[in-house]
Each structure stands twice: as structure tokens, then as C-alpha cells.
Amino acid sequence: MSKKTLLTTFMAAILSLSSFTTMAEITTNDAYVRAIPPGTKTTAAFVTITNNNSEDVDLKSASSNVADAVELHNHVMKDGTMMMRQVDNIKIAAQQSVSLKPGSYHIMLINLRQDITVGENVEFELSFSDGTQLKIEAPVKKIMDGMHSHHHH
């Protein structure tokens, strides 16, 4: 094998490796949207986000065409009462996962533009501090989380 052929083969291998490692640095799984009664204008979306990067990243925002507003939220205990609070971002440490779930971090879909029903899929997009944007299609599911009384501020 000539030096030129060897160099070309080596460079092709390096390029394919680099594109492979950048393809799935942030991944998601177990995404779903909470089913709600017809006419209800707010629901929540949940997902597990895995950061395969060597550095921390922040989930900066989410968007969806089914809602006028999409916000990142967390539940916090204040004066013995569980409350939801909007947050500016959700940190996902390097080589770690964060589960957005009932009673914790979650994505609020506010002022829904349509009724959503069990079995449908809702599309939304996540935007991260490293510039990554992920499109997710999440099924609508009926869930019970025990969070019957909380205050939204």
C-alpha cells in the first residue's frame, strides 16, 4: 500500500470516527405527555435526557406547536407545600442522565391549541447550551402520580 493510499485510508477512518462520536452526544428516551381531560389547557411532558459529552450541558428551552408557551419547571417544597416553579435551565452533568418526571423537573405545555388524547403523539423540540437541538415525538399517556394538590406560582 502506498503512503498516499495509507494516508487517505487513515484520514477517512478518522473522519468517520469523529462523525460517529458526535452523532449521539445527547440522547433521550421514555418521553411521554400526560393525558388530560378535553378542554384542559395545560399539561406536562416528561423525558429522560442522557448527556454522553465529556462536559456538562444545560437544557435551555423546549418548544412545541401544540402549545402557545412551553416552559421548563421544577417542583419545590416551600413552607410545607409542594409548588411548581419555572426554571431557566436544567443541568445535565457529563456522562449522566436526568429524568424529567412527575414531582420533579418537567416540561409544561401551556395554553394548548388543541385537545390531546391518549394514543396521539406530541412533537416537541429541546434546545441545549451546546447548540444541540433534539426533536422528540412523545406519546400521550394516562398516568397517576399522586400529585393531586400543588400550587403553580
Side-chain angles (χ1 to χ4, degrees):
M1 194 180 274
S2 73
K3 283 185 181 180
K4 184 176 179 181
T5 305
L6 187 59
L7 182 59
T8 303
T9 305
F10 177 73
M11 291 305 292
I14 293 297
L15 287 172
S16 68
L17 250 180
S18 65
S19 64
F20 174 76
T21 57
T22 59
M23 280 180 14
E25 291 179 346
I26 300 173
T27 58
T28 61
N29 61 4
D30 301 326
Y32 67 96
V33 174
R34 179 185 308 221
I36 52 175
T40 304
K41 291 295 185 187
T42 304
T43 190
F46 309 99
V47 62
T48 297
I49 303 168
T50 301
N51 176 10
N52 297 304
N53 288 301
S54 57
E55 296 182 12
D56 297 352
V57 295
D58 291 339
L59 173 60
K60 299 296 281 179
S61 64
S63 61
S64 177
N65 61 0
V66 301
D68 288 341
V70 181
E71 299 176 352
L72 305 177
H73 282 231
N74 193 11
H75 278 96
V76 293
M77 186 67 77
K78 183 174 180 180
D79 300 326
T81 303
M82 185 66 82
M83 298 180 181
M84 270 195 286
R85 297 273 186 205
Q86 184 176 2
V87 297
D88 292 330
N89 57 59
I90 299 170
K91 182 172 293 305
I92 302 107
Q95 303 298 315
Q96 298 293 316
S97 295
V98 171
S99 291
L100 281 59
K101 59 188 179 186
S104 183
Y105 287 115
H106 56 281
I107 299 166
M108 290 300 300
L109 302 166
I110 301 166
N111 198 18
L112 293 172
R113 298 174 181 159
Q114 64 195 53
D115 285 339
I116 58 171
T117 57
V118 173
E120 287 182 339
N121 285 324
V122 172
E123 292 181 5
F124 57 100
E125 185 172 63
L126 304 179
S127 298
F128 296 87
S129 58
D130 69 349
T132 299
Q133 293 194 322
L134 295 178
K135 290 186 188 280
I136 297 174
E137 194 168 298
V140 177
K141 294 183 178 180
K142 186 174 183 178
I143 61 165
M144 300 301 291
D145 69 302
M147 300 294 297
H148 296 294
S149 70
H150 60 268
H151 302 280
H152 189 235
H153 295 275

